[in-house]
Amino acid sequence: MKIIAVGAEGDIGRAACGELSARHEIIKAGRSSGDIQVDIADPASIEAMYREVGKVDAVVSTTGEVHFGPLTDFTHEQFMLGLRNKVMGQVNLVLRGLDYVTDGGCFTLTSGVLDRDPIRMGTGAATANGALGGFVVGAAVELPRGLRINVVSPGLLEVSEERYGSFFPGHERVPSARVGRAYAKSVEGVVTGQVIIVE
């Protein structure tokens, strides 16, 4: 398969690409790294990426920004960061990608653990994750040409422990290999409309 991996240089992106690159051609995309640059907050940038790459068999997104902070301090704009970037950025990868993903291809998005196992200051991320799950469930029944869509929802990766571990007290750490296999299940398997939980 020819696969676009958006956010390929992050911890989750490396896990997904590490698993899939053994069997497929991976085109890495990122805001400032990779084979091609894309800003998922800008639909025109997404369209330009697809035009440059052309037809692909799958799109894997492991990217998206959200604001972390105390709920009592959250502003409208801070909530909108996650909704515009992590949610609509990935939604637009699907909407703009419909003309570029081959028949029977797959979109795989990324949410996270916080909508089912919350932490302090994580309400923005929990909101975005829940929205992505809802989008995937709804979109799966409407996608044309046998296209599939799923969202991988991993816990905190072991490799992310040093940077983020103190924010996730008591949470199980997830090996990158297990996370990578979740993306393989979505891309290479048959499921659609699923939130694929890794914890």
Side-chain angles (χ1 to χ4, degrees):
M1 294 183 190
K2 181 180 177 183
I3 301 171
I4 295 179
V6 183
E9 295 301 326
D11 289 346
I12 297 173
R14 288 190 185 99
C17 291
E19 173 67 29
L20 293 167
S21 63
R23 297 176 296 281
H24 307 290
E25 175 190 357
I26 307 293
I27 299 163
K28 296 180 179 181
R31 190 163 46 191
S32 58
S33 63
D35 305 309
I36 187 170
Q37 274 66 63
V38 63
D39 178 1
I40 66 164
D42 179 2
S45 178
I46 293 172
E47 181 67 33
M49 175 192 72
Y50 280 126
R51 283 200 307 268
E52 182 172 343
V53 173
K55 292 286 187 180
V56 296
D57 301 297
V59 176
V60 171
S61 172
T62 59
T63 189
E65 292 183 38
V66 295
H67 176 74
F68 285 85
L71 178 63
T72 52
D73 295 341
F74 255 84
T75 66
H76 173 82
E77 279 306 310
Q78 288 168 338
F79 261 113
M80 289 304 296
L81 171 65
L83 296 175
R84 275 194 299 261
N85 194 292
K86 186 168 186 176
V87 178
M88 286 310 302
Q90 295 192 82
V91 167
N92 282 324
L93 283 170
V94 176
L95 297 178
R96 298 292 175 123
L98 290 175
D99 292 333
Y100 294 92
V101 176
T102 57
D103 292 2
C106 181
F107 295 95
T108 305
L109 311 183
T110 300
S111 58
V113 68
L114 296 183
D115 60 328
R116 62 183 186 276
D117 195 356
I119 62 171
R120 289 184 180 88
M121 301 193 295
T123 303
T127 303
N129 293 346
L132 286 163
F135 171 71
V136 161
V137 169
V141 300
E142 294 196 68
L143 287 177
R145 300 183 289 105
L147 296 174
R148 296 181 300 107
I149 185 169
N150 299 293
V151 59
V152 175
S153 179
L156 180 68
L157 274 66
E158 289 176 348
V159 296
S160 306
E161 166 80 25
E162 186 173 335
R163 280 171 293 160
Y164 305 116
S166 63
F167 295 100
F168 289 80
H171 280 233
E172 294 294 334
R173 280 40 172 169
V174 181
S176 294
R178 285 187 56 213
V179 175
R181 287 193 293 273
Y183 288 90
K185 177 178 183 177
S186 177
V187 172
E188 300 172 330
V190 298
V191 297
T192 190
Q194 298 295 306
V195 178
I196 302 173
I197 293 172
V198 189
E199 55 186 14

